[in-house]
């Protein structure tokens, strides 16, 4: 595979490992033949919109799951029922992470259905530059490689209270392929995800059949 190598991008607990070709860490290949490491700060930027918590208003509250598994709805919040004077607003295709316990991989790309949800200031948001496809970045957020880089940069003295600040995230260096390559990677990984989902559904159906047969 010349200067390419296979690394896993996905949940380490997933029974079928997803692999994608990206250049090896520390590749010395020239710019025309490979993709050198670049800090995330070159391709995305911290971009936080704050909204005041008004007592007469209701807000949709969100959280971020570990291991790059996405955003989760946490119900509605009355503006007068929180100690926060303001909260961060999520926007579609932004990256959002949780600063606390960052080594657990609480980072993802905001899907359209969570546009306008709010999170506490523990969740900074980042706008992607034109070089990055949101769909590609979503898969990157599910990569143990990224979580390891996040873990290496957390600061603090108490393990469960260690945090990763936005500047530390933007210092992480990753190989950034061109958009057309990102598109091919997304196509491949999305197809694998669909295949895994189909296998899971088939396994559930077979489990129900076996359970029913055991009762006969």
């Amino acid at each position: 595979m010349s200067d390419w190598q296979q690394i896993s991008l996905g949940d380490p607990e997933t029974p079928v490992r997803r692999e994608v070709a990206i250049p090896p860490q520390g590749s010395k290949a020239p710019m025309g033949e490979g993709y050198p490491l670049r800090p995330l700060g070159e391709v995305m930027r911290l971009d936080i919109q704050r909204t005041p918590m008004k007592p007469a208003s209701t807000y949709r509250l969100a959280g971020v799951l570990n291991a790059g598994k996405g955003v989760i709805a946490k119900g509605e919040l009355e503006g007068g029922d929180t100690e926060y004077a303001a909260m961060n607003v999520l926007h579609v295709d932004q990256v959002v992470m949780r600063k606390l316990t960052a080594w657990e991989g609480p980072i993802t790309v905001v899907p359209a259905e969570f546009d306008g949800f709010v999170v506490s200031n523990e969740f900074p948001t980042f706008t992607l530059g034109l070089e990055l496809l949101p769909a590609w970045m979503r898969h990157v957020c599910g990569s143990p490689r990224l979580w390891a880089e996040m873990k290496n940069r957390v600061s603090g003295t108490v393990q469960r209270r260690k945090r990763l600040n936005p500047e530390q995230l933007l210092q992480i260096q990753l190989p950034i392929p061109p958009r057309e390559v990102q598109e091919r990677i997304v196509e491949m990984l999305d197809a694998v995800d669909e295949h895994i989902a189909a296998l899971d559904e088939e396994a559930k159906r077979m489990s129900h059949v076996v359970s029913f047969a055991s009762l006969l």
Side-chain angles (χ1 to χ4, degrees):
M1 297 181 61
S2 68
D3 65 340
W4 296 84
Q5 68 178 0
Q6 296 287 334
I7 69 163
S8 295
L9 283 184
D11 182 352
E13 297 178 357
T14 300
V16 180
R17 293 308 298 256
R18 299 179 297 171
E19 295 186 333
V20 58
I22 71 169
Q25 184 85 304
S27 172
K28 301 299 182 181
M31 288 294 290
E33 298 178 18
Y35 311 126
L37 298 177
R38 297 175 60 188
L40 289 175
E42 288 186 1
V43 289
M44 68 184 201
R45 62 183 174 83
L46 181 66
D47 185 10
I48 298 175
Q49 178 191 343
R50 303 276 286 165
T51 186
M53 294 290 99
K54 300 177 181 178
S57 299
T58 301
Y59 304 85
R60 296 171 296 172
L61 187 64
V64 178
L65 297 171
N66 292 337
K69 291 183 178 178
V71 183
I72 183 173
K74 300 183 71 174
E76 293 188 339
L77 174 71
E78 295 294 329
D81 293 340
T82 177
E83 60 185 19
Y84 291 104
M87 298 186 79
N88 298 347
V89 181
L90 298 183
H91 292 292
V92 62
D93 291 343
Q94 282 189 319
V95 167
V96 58
M97 77 162 187
R98 185 178 69 236
K99 293 186 288 187
L100 190 64
T101 65
W103 67 88
E104 295 176 331
I107 185 169
T108 192
V109 174
V110 179
E113 60 267 29
F114 283 92
D115 189 70
F117 276 63
V118 298
V119 290
S120 76
N121 57 12
E122 194 67 33
F123 299 84
T125 53
F126 306 81
T127 293
L128 302 180
L130 296 178
E131 293 182 68
L132 296 185
L133 289 175
W136 181 81
M137 193 62 195
R138 175 176 58 83
H139 286 293
V140 171
C141 289
S143 167
R145 174 178 180 171
L146 176 60
W147 312 336
E149 292 287 350
M150 293 169 69
K151 179 179 180 180
N152 290 339
R153 287 167 171 76
V154 295
S155 58
T157 55
V158 180
Q159 180 67 11
R160 296 300 300 179
R161 304 302 297 175
K162 288 184 177 180
R163 283 176 165 79
L164 181 77
N165 64 49
E167 292 74 22
Q168 291 167 322
L169 178 72
L170 293 174
Q171 290 170 3
I172 292 175
Q173 297 189 34
L174 296 174
I176 311 295
R179 283 176 65 97
E180 60 268 22
V181 176
Q182 294 177 32
E183 288 174 355
R184 294 199 295 271
I185 292 172
V186 169
E187 246 181 69
M188 179 182 67
L189 291 183
D190 284 352
V192 172
D193 283 344
E194 291 174 7
H195 186 59
I196 291 172
L199 290 175
D200 286 344
E201 284 301 315
E202 182 63 23
K204 289 177 184 177
R205 285 195 293 270
M206 291 302 297
S207 176
H208 291 321
V209 170
V210 171
S211 297
F212 178 75
S214 67
L215 297 175
L216 298 180

